Amino acid sequence: MTPLRRVEGRVLPLPIDNIDTDLIIPAAHLKTVARAGLGAHAFEALRSRPGNPFDDPATRGAKIIVALDNFGCGSSREHAAWALKDMGIEAVIATGFSDIFAGNAFKNGIATVTLGRSAVETLLEAGHNQSVVVDLETMTVRTSAGEIFTFTLDPFRRECLIGGLDEIALTLIREPQIAAYEQRVGI
């Protein structure tokens, strides 16, 4: 996993509550175990509507989604995190997340940042003409206009994201202890 210390750029504003995993990646695209290519199908229902934020040139290449409450609710499909990662998303800011989605996002190197409603509304507005920085080291979100919002993140998840440590890398860190144990018990 690539270390994630800081994400900077425009935001993709999705001022919607209860964005579920079916909206993130439709069920028709769940037959694959390949992660590549899912980003092209992310948010198909929203992308089909005229005037959607995905067609706005100002959001092209956005690495940060800003949404309202209960982001990632619905089913437990990891494909939702895969689709976001494939479309270049590195952080999602919302007033709340589904626990399962937040776990899947973390395992795929996406930061989930929870902020209060007024901060999220400020970021939704700022996303139209300002850049935003999500800094995992200082645990702040900053706009180019100077607004700063602090957030908390589980220390283990923060350490893993900053260090680029997925489950395999965490196991490999313990390789000397694992080898010593295997030698001790005769494996």
Side-chain angles (χ1 to χ4, degrees):
M1 190 163 68
T2 303
L4 183 66
R5 291 179 179 86
R6 178 184 164 130
V7 183
E8 182 173 5
R10 299 272 185 192
V11 304
L12 180 61
L14 298 176
I16 305 167
D17 285 310
N18 303 311
I19 293 177
D20 64 21
T21 54
D22 291 322
L23 182 60
I24 297 170
I25 186 71
H29 304 289
L30 300 182
K31 296 177 179 126
T32 183
V33 293
R35 298 173 188 208
L38 287 174
H41 304 289
F43 299 102
E44 278 183 345
L46 291 179
R47 288 179 180 197
S48 68
R49 297 177 187 167
N52 72 74
F54 297 91
D55 290 341
D56 184 345
T59 65
R60 209 167 316 286
K63 296 178 184 178
I64 304 165
I65 288 177
V66 178
L68 297 177
D69 196 39
N70 202 23
F71 190 92
C73 59
S75 72
S76 61
R77 62 182 67 150
E78 191 171 11
H79 291 70
W82 295 352
L84 293 179
K85 191 71 174 176
D86 191 54
M87 67 183 282
I89 299 300
E90 296 179 8
V92 180
I93 301 170
T95 59
F97 294 90
S98 155
D99 287 340
I100 294 172
F101 173 81
N104 287 338
F106 158 67
K107 288 178 184 179
N108 286 280
I110 300 170
T112 54
V113 175
T114 304
L115 293 176
R117 184 85 175 203
S118 65
V120 166
E121 289 173 353
T122 298
L123 292 171
L124 285 167
E125 185 59 37
H128 294 291
N129 56 15
Q130 298 176 41
S131 65
V132 171
V133 176
V134 176
D135 191 324
L136 296 182
E137 292 178 330
T138 63
M139 305 236 311
T140 58
V141 176
R142 293 186 318 272
T143 68
S144 56
E147 293 139 323
I148 300 174
F149 307 101
T150 60
F151 62 92
T152 60
L153 196 59
D154 174 82
F156 174 75
R157 287 184 175 186
R158 179 176 174 259
E159 178 184 336
C160 288
L161 288 169
I162 289 173
L165 303 171
D166 60 13
E167 292 166 334
I168 294 170
L170 287 169
T171 303
L172 291 175
I173 287 172
R174 302 280 187 209
E175 198 279 327
Q177 292 93 336
I178 293 168
Y181 172 79
E182 288 174 343
Q183 185 176 23
R184 195 170 54 251
V185 298
I187 296 177

